[in-house]
Amino acid sequence: AQSVTQLDSHVSVSEGTPVLLRCNYSSSYSPSLFWYVQHPNKGLQLLLKYTSAATLVKGINGFEAEFKKSETSFHLTKPSAHMSDAAEYFCVVSDWNSGYALNFGKGTSLLVTP
Amino acid sequence: GAGVSQSPSNKVTEKGKDVELRCDPISGHTALYWYRQRLGQGLEFLIYFQGNSAPDKSGLPSDRFSAERTGESVSTLTIQRTQQEDSAVYLCASSFDRVATEAFFGQGTRLTVV
């Protein structure tokens, strides 16, 4: 069975400082991994995805994530936070065993302070 | 339209009544998902349709919940004898095929059971 764990329910950073949102997954098969963002009162939007190509994945708005198989991690990073990055972030895993259904983590709420 | 469309956007119903939520996926998308998001919580998987395969109903919380999809078109999620704990935002998503491609989300239906 697959699962995904977001290690922090809340992360607070100052504007201009780096962002790190942590995600660990378990999967018996080669997984696909995603990060989605949900801004307040907005729909879910794909930030980036990993599907067995390059392990360092670049997404929208300056975000990137690195797939580390040995650590079963897919942490989301950004060098410099903007106020507009404040949102809920979801790590998602999908694999063959689950019929490719998307399995969401519980989410990390990112707060950006001035 | 170009995106996933859900209706109604808001629904207030009395406890014990049945409700039907509708999702129009993006044309040509074979995969369709329903998720539930309670206030301040992550996404809870409900059901997954993929083409003509039998749906994955493993996330439906009780037999009061059911969903249908005709071919690769509209899906309806029905909740019978609604309870207050059913209050949540119900999200629908569709994707192009089963191999872990990006899922596009609708804006959701906010269900309030009073």
Side-chain angles (χ1 to χ4, degrees):
Chain A
Q2 44 147 261
S3 70
V4 58
T5 302
Q6 293 185 241
L7 297 164
D8 307 291
S9 58
H10 294 84
V11 170
S12 181
V13 301
S14 299
E15 189 177 19
T17 64
V19 176
L20 170 63
L21 305 183
R22 298 182 295 165
C23 173
N24 285 106
Y25 69 92
S26 67
S27 172
S28 302
Y29 300 85
S30 298
S32 294
L33 294 154
F34 308 79
W35 277 97
Y36 279 82
V37 61
Q38 187 177 36
H39 287 94
N41 301 314
K42 297 275 183 71
L44 280 151
Q45 180 183 20
L46 180 71
L47 270 180
L48 49 79
K49 65 179 180 182
Y50 165 78
T51 55
S52 77
T55 56
L56 182 62
V57 181
K58 295 188 183 298
I60 61 171
N61 300 333
F63 283 94
E64 61 182 37
E66 186 171 7
F67 173 70
K68 292 187 176 180
K69 186 175 182 178
S70 61
E71 299 177 11
T72 61
S73 69
F74 191 58
H75 301 333
L76 182 70
T77 61
K78 182 173 181 178
S80 175
H82 294 166
M83 297 297 291
S84 60
D85 294 329
E88 190 81 15
Y89 291 80
F90 295 96
C91 183
V92 182
V93 65
S94 171
D95 66 24
W96 173 87
N97 192 47
S98 66
Y100 295 106
L102 300 178
N103 185 20
F104 277 72
K106 293 189 182 299
T108 298
S109 179
L110 176 65
L111 174 67
V112 182
T113 58
Chain B
V4 177
S5 177
Q6 291 187 245
S7 60
S9 55
N10 281 282
K11 176 73 177 178
V12 180
T13 189
E14 292 182 353
K15 179 181 172 181
K17 295 284 179 69
D18 298 351
V19 295
E20 190 173 277
L21 312 180
R22 177 186 169 105
C23 173
D24 280 278
I26 294 171
S27 178
H29 280 194
T30 60
L32 186 146
Y33 310 79
W34 283 99
Y35 292 87
R36 177 169 71 179
Q37 187 174 29
R38 291 194 168 109
L39 187 63
Q41 304 290 315
L43 271 69
E44 178 186 0
F45 168 75
L46 296 178
I47 189 167
Y48 168 51
F49 295 90
Q50 174 53 254
N52 295 319
S53 302
D56 177 355
K57 303 180 180 181
S58 61
L60 295 178
S62 77
D63 58 7
R64 296 188 295 105
F65 287 73
S66 62
E68 293 183 349
R69 186 185 188 196
T70 305
E72 297 179 359
S73 62
V74 170
S75 176
T76 55
L77 176 68
T78 301
I79 308 173
Q80 295 178 309
R81 305 181 301 282
T82 52
Q83 304 294 315
Q84 287 188 329
E85 63 262 28
D86 299 334
S87 296
V89 176
Y90 289 81
L91 291 164
C92 176
S94 70
S95 66
F96 183 65
D97 64 25
R98 67 183 304 156
V99 188
T101 54
E102 176 182 358
F104 294 83
F105 282 80
Q107 294 295 310
T109 294
R110 182 176 299 279
L111 175 66
T112 304
V113 182
V114 297

